[in-house]
């Protein structure tokens, strides 16, 4: 793609998360003359004020592009090697951008956690992407990078210890400090609205293998009510992001050629501690989940303060279980609030990893874990404040 002016275009740079992505690139790649990037959004004036507010160079290029104007998207895509899109809900604003990237053979990464739309895009554009050279990578933020890579990392350890990957892996949230993003809440609402209009979509939403067209694996745990887990000596509550993360982990397994096996079982829950207190906390998590997508949910563009983002964190546990009951455990930890501080770093590094570290990944629709594997883990550890460790 020698004609492209920019390695990366950040589309949606005036939104809350898009601004954080632009700020990350401006700060962390300031001295990197070989990374050419631009900011894109609906208003040139707003782009200029964001550029100045985040301390980006005054000559950072600004591109006016609007989801409602497909011609402007085509012009934007024509100048890029990779587009980072933070403009969701993607089912409302993403169709024409995907089509433009696929047609032009341009790489694309986003923060999508909308499995129905993702499946629709895969069905509609996969063949064309493979023909044009486009690499489309959904879910490059907290959903689902640390979860996908956590499953991959613990399976690598299982192979070392057991001599084979494990057909059962548990993903468990041990600690998380941070708020749900307004964009995530809006995406959940858009999905529920779409399902209410077309009940045939319920089957896709409820299918753990919604993102593995042509493959359906074994029955998976529902994870939809509190349960006590003997092996972890803790109560576990439903985890809101499991709906998208589990689908992406199964898709990764398929895209990599089923290294976890075709009978792979994977679920995610939140650990709330032992005893009566743990049980009570698990019920509180259930109630809080319902509230997060209700009328009091954050609005798109709203988000935590810089201080809240920097004081956020997450600690994820991965348990791979052998048929004889032996376990290996691994942890993935992040140093910022998951929905914004960490997400903005992860999607930026996914785009750079795709361009610089994995240029040989063939075209098509990918998950970050399947496309970039160890190289993405290394990059996230070096640049984005993530830590992957084996636990004894």
């Amino acid at each position: 793609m020698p004609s492209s002016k920019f390695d990366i275009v950040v589309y949606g740079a005036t939104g809350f998360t898009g601004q954080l992505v632009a700020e990350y690139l401006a700060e962390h790649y300031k001295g990197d003359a070989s990374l050419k990037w631009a900011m894109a959004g609906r208003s040139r004036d707003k782009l200029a004020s964001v550029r100045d507010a985040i301390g980006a160079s005054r000559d950072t290029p600004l591109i006016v592009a609007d989801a409602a104007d497909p011609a402007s998207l085509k012009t934007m895509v024509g100048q890029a090697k990779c587009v980072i899109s933070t403009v969701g809900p993607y089912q409302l604003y993403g169709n024409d951008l995907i089509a433009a990237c696929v047609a032009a053979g341009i790489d694309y990464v986003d923060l999508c956690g909308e499995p129905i739309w993702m499946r629709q895009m895969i069905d509609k554009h996969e063949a064309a992407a493979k023909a044009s050279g486009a690499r489309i990578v959904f879910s490059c933020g907290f959903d689902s990078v640390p979860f996908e890579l956590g499953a991959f990392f613990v399976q690598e350890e299982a192979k070392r210890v057991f001599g084979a990957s494990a057909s059962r892996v548990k993903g468990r949230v041990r600690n998380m400090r941070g708020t749900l993003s307004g964009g995530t809440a809006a995406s959940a609402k858009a999905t529920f609205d779409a399902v209410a209009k077309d009940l045939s979509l319920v089957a896709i939403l409820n299918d753990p293998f919604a993102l593995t067209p042509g493959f359906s694996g074994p029955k998976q745990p529902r994870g939809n009510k509190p349960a006590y887990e003997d092996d972890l000596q803790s109560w576990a509550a439903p985890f809101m992001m499991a709906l998208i993360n589990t689908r992406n982990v199964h898709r990764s397994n398929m895209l990599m050629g089923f290294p976890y096996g075709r009978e792979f079982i994977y679920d995610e829950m939140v650990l709330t501690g032992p005893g009566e207190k743990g049980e009570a906390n698990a019920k509180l998590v259930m109630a809080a989940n319902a509230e997060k997508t209700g009328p009091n949910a954050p609005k798109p563009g709203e988000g935590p303060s810089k201080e809240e983002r920097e004081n956020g964190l997450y600690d994820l546990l991965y348990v791979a279980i052998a048929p004889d009951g032996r376990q290996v455990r691994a942890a993935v930890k992040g140093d910022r609030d998951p929905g914004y501080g960490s997400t903005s770093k992860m999607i930026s590094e996914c785009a750079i990893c795709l361009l610089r570290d994995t240029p040989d990944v063939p075209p098509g629709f990918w998950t970050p874990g399947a496309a970039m594997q160890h190289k993405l883990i290394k990059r996230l550890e070096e640049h984005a404040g993530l830590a992957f460790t084996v636990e004894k």
Side-chain angles (χ1 to χ4, degrees):
M1 290 175 281
S3 61
S4 39
K5 279 203 263 184
F6 308 115
D7 299 303
I8 292 170
V9 171
V10 181
Y11 174 58
T14 56
F16 194 92
T17 310
Q19 185 167 333
L20 293 176
V21 172
E23 185 173 24
Y24 177 80
L25 291 173
E27 273 180 27
H28 287 79
Y29 288 89
K30 188 182 274 177
D32 188 339
S34 66
L35 187 76
K36 296 184 170 58
W37 66 282
M39 296 165 60
R42 285 181 298 184
S43 155
R44 183 174 293 277
D45 289 348
K46 208 167 171 195
L47 284 166
S49 68
V50 167
R51 175 197 64 200
D52 297 344
I54 63 176
S57 163
R58 290 299 298 245
D59 58 8
T60 302
L62 309 177
I63 300 170
V64 176
D66 188 340
D69 177 4
S72 72
L73 297 178
K74 264 189 189 160
T75 303
M76 172 184 80
V77 165
Q79 301 178 70
K81 285 182 185 168
C82 180
V83 174
I84 294 178
S85 176
T86 62
V87 181
Y90 295 92
Q91 58 200 289
L92 301 182
Y93 306 116
N95 290 358
D96 289 330
L97 180 55
I98 290 276
C101 287
V102 167
I106 299 303
D107 291 347
Y108 164 101
V109 298
D110 72 14
L111 299 171
C112 188
E114 304 163 42
I116 295 172
W117 180 76
M118 290 158 64
R119 174 61 188 264
Q120 290 167 340
M121 293 298 101
I122 292 164
D123 289 347
K124 187 172 181 183
H125 295 295
E126 174 110 73
K130 285 180 172 171
S132 74
R135 298 181 298 175
I136 308 295
V137 190
F138 295 131
S139 309
C140 292
F142 185 62
D143 47 340
S144 300
V145 167
F147 298 92
E148 263 202 273
L149 291 176
F152 175 79
F153 186 79
V154 83
Q155 287 284 30
E156 295 291 287
E157 183 62 11
K159 282 191 282 196
R160 199 180 67 75
V161 175
F162 305 152
S165 55
S167 60
R168 174 74 175 107
V169 170
K170 294 180 175 187
R172 296 293 180 264
V173 179
R174 281 193 294 211
N175 192 7
M176 195 159 80
R177 198 161 64 222
T179 52
L180 178 82
S181 79
T184 297
S187 293
K189 184 181 180 305
T191 297
F192 296 146
D193 291 348
V195 168
K197 287 195 195 106
D198 180 358
L199 292 176
S200 72
L201 299 176
V202 173
I204 301 178
L205 198 60
N206 288 337
D207 180 6
F209 297 95
L211 297 181
T212 57
F215 172 76
S216 200
K219 196 170 184 330
Q220 302 288 315
R222 294 286 303 274
N224 58 351
K225 53 180 188 285
Y228 185 74
E229 298 199 283
D230 283 323
D231 59 339
L232 301 176
Q233 298 195 325
S234 175
W235 280 86
F239 178 45
M240 212 181 145
M241 319 293 288
L243 184 72
I244 181 62
N245 294 336
T246 55
R247 276 65 173 162
N248 275 323
V249 168
H250 285 300
R251 180 164 175 79
S252 272
N253 185 32
M254 182 184 82
L255 290 171
M256 293 187 290
F258 298 100
Y260 313 157
R262 289 172 180 267
E263 295 300 310
F264 178 59
I265 295 173
Y266 175 75
D267 72 330
E268 291 176 356
M269 297 191 84
V270 179
L271 296 180
T272 58
E276 287 178 9
K277 187 167 185 236
E279 184 175 10
N281 285 341
K283 288 174 179 165
L284 287 173
V285 170
M286 278 277 291
N289 284 347
E291 183 70 15
K292 281 174 185 164
T293 52
N296 300 322
K299 304 283 180 284
E302 290 180 0
S305 68
K306 189 174 196 313
E307 187 183 5
E308 286 171 323
R309 292 196 304 271
E310 289 179 356
N311 288 327
L313 56 84
Y314 51 92
D315 174 6
L316 314 174
L317 171 69
Y318 281 84
V319 184
I321 305 165
D324 61 8
R326 284 182 300 156
Q327 295 186 355
V328 294
R329 298 183 177 196
V332 181
K333 296 180 181 178
D335 70 342
R336 292 283 187 274
D337 85 294
Y340 295 101
S342 192
T343 278
S344 55
K345 295 194 286 188
M346 284 190 277
I347 191 170
S348 303
E349 293 300 339
C350 280
I352 293 168
C353 188
L354 198 61
L355 290 173
R356 291 187 170 176
D357 306 341
T358 56
D360 302 336
V361 168
F365 279 67
W366 287 93
T367 59
M372 297 177 261
Q373 299 179 9
H374 292 291
K375 288 179 174 167
L376 184 55
I377 289 176
K378 183 170 185 277
R379 187 168 271 286
L380 293 175
E381 289 197 312
E382 287 176 359
H383 300 281
L386 273 72
F388 294 76
T389 52
V390 173
E391 297 204 339
K392 291 297 176 241

